[in-house]
Amino acid sequence: MVRTPLENWIMRKTGISESKRECLEIYQLECIQETIGYAKQKSRFYLEYLRDIRPDEIQSVKYFQNIPFTFPQQISANPLEFLCVPQSAIKRIVTLKSSGTSGMEKRIYFTEEDLDSTVDFFKYGMSCLTDKTDRVMVLLPGNSYGSIGHLLKKALSETGTACFIHGVMTDAEETARYIIENDITCIVGIPIQVLQLERTQSDAFRRIQKVLLSTDYVPEILITELTRQYGCKVFTHYGMTEMGYGGGVECEARNGYHMREADLYFEIVDPVSGHPVPNGQWGEVVFTTLTRKAMPLIRYRTGDIGAFSTFPCACGTFLKTMKRVRGRKNNKIQISKDKYLYLAELDEVILSFGAVRDYKVSLLQDDCIKVEIAADSNNLPSENTISESVQNYIHKNFGDKIKLQISAAKGNQLNQIANSMTKRTIYDLRESGK
């Protein structure tokens, strides 16, 4: 098995001469000190927020773990306070609206140097799965300068790999024609969109040899289906805009991501206490930027649930391996004391029906769950069949007091979900009464 290409890239970028964790960790600690000093000097937010922190006192990771977290709400409140460069130096601004907080937006800023760093990561990250013989279609935004598709295409062009920016899918038939006309062999896309494409356009999809799933939680049933039915090699990527898009990508072992450790320092903490958790234990992913110029972020709470592997990767790298992220903290909703409804578990139940393209789940009341399903009406099992499977799951986990409303979405009723970059979630409508 080939060792992840990220290892050589990280060693080159960091300047470490030995492939040892302790060498990389020394580099990361030095970068943390430099980042905090830079942010305190240049950012109005961190000047005040970290006023009692002296960078030269951070002599260990344990000390660093006492530094306060940065939260998404703080960026939303005044993103310009985070800027460390003049606005004239900004080459890309991304506005993000939270799927869980009405009206809250975050603005993330990048310099040209920040964008080039992402291109560099994409160049080596994509070589985990592609080579010059591949023809890659990107089902992500790519028309604007510095967008994820634009950066991917720039990275692949440097390796001589053909790349076609399709954009977010709005018409599966049109996308299928695009695959055939351009002889596409590899897709980079949103998990639920890739599922919709392969379940409605199987003839075109049989041409696909490799898939990289990104931007949202990846249902295990989708990986299994693509592997068994189409013989695809399925890789997953973890990242978010705040990270500079790229965070980690799977190697040939396809058993978790190797992280972008030259540019980012990752932690896993208890979502409630904020204390670090041992490797192997699930918690919230936290990261610190190590090389960011426009908008460094220090101990940023992502809301994503992840865990570091306790075993070395089969590829032999010394880099950390993070298990596939389980989604976001708000991908579960408390039904009763110590009992939660998980989107990931519902995925494995509902998406197991091959005709289902997507679904939306809402909690109407403490004892009432609503499920709307978008599916191929010609091949859809009866609503009673799906209802029975969901009801069995609910009964097993919550008893027989929970009511279930299940219906088939009509027409394009759920298209805004399948065709959106917004991360999927469970909608809690108990207070709104909608």
Side-chain angles (χ1 to χ4, degrees), residues 128-129 211-213 233-237 250-252 254:
C128 293
L129 63 145
V211 174
L212 178 66
L213 301 173
K233 291 184 177 180
V234 183
F235 297 76
T236 65
H237 166 264
E250 290 186 302
C251 66
E252 286 188 1
R254 286 174 276 159

Side-chain angles (χ1 to χ4, degrees), residues 299-368:
R299 303 201 77 205
Y300 182 78
R301 299 281 293 254
T302 67
D304 292 329
I305 300 300
F308 290 126
S309 177
T310 55
F311 301 101
C313 180
C315 81
T317 185
F318 73 96
L319 302 179
K320 280 186 176 181
T321 303
M322 185 186 290
K323 298 179 182 181
R324 289 175 186 147
V325 168
R326 284 183 172 177
R328 298 184 61 74
K329 288 191 298 184
N330 61 2
N331 278 1
K332 68 176 183 179
I333 285 185
Q334 188 168 9
I335 300 293
S336 59
K337 185 179 180 181
D338 298 327
K339 290 190 176 182
Y340 294 85
L341 178 68
Y342 292 90
L343 185 66
E345 293 181 358
L346 280 173
D347 276 348
E348 304 307 313
V349 175
I350 297 174
L351 297 181
S352 66
F353 293 91
V356 174
R357 300 196 310 270
D358 194 10
Y359 72 95
K360 176 180 177 181
V361 58
S362 307
L363 188 61
L364 303 183
Q365 300 172 9
D366 287 333
D367 63 349
C368 186

Side-chain angles (χ1 to χ4, degrees), residues 59 69 112 156 250:
Q59 297 296 319
F69 295 109
E112 192 71 50
L156 287 169
E250 290 186 302

Side-chain angles (χ1 to χ4, degrees), residues 366-383:
D366 287 333
D367 63 349
C368 186
I369 297 171
K370 180 181 180 181
V371 179
E372 301 166 84
I373 296 173
D376 179 356
S377 58
N378 295 324
N379 299 314
L380 181 65
S382 69
E383 289 180 22

Side-chain angles (χ1 to χ4, degrees), residues 237-258:
H237 166 264
Y238 173 57
M240 60 196 313
T241 304
E242 295 93 323
M243 290 178 189
Y245 299 118
V249 66
E250 290 186 302
C251 66
E252 286 188 1
R254 286 174 276 159
N255 194 33
Y257 330 101
H258 297 310

Side-chain angles (χ1 to χ4, degrees), residues 13-32:
K13 188 164 185 177
T14 62
I16 63 175
S17 57
E18 295 182 271
S19 53
K20 295 181 179 179
R21 284 256 18 121
E22 51 264 37
C23 295
L24 180 57
E25 289 167 359
I26 291 171
Y27 160 86
Q28 290 179 321
L29 188 60
E30 291 174 350
C31 285
I32 286 170

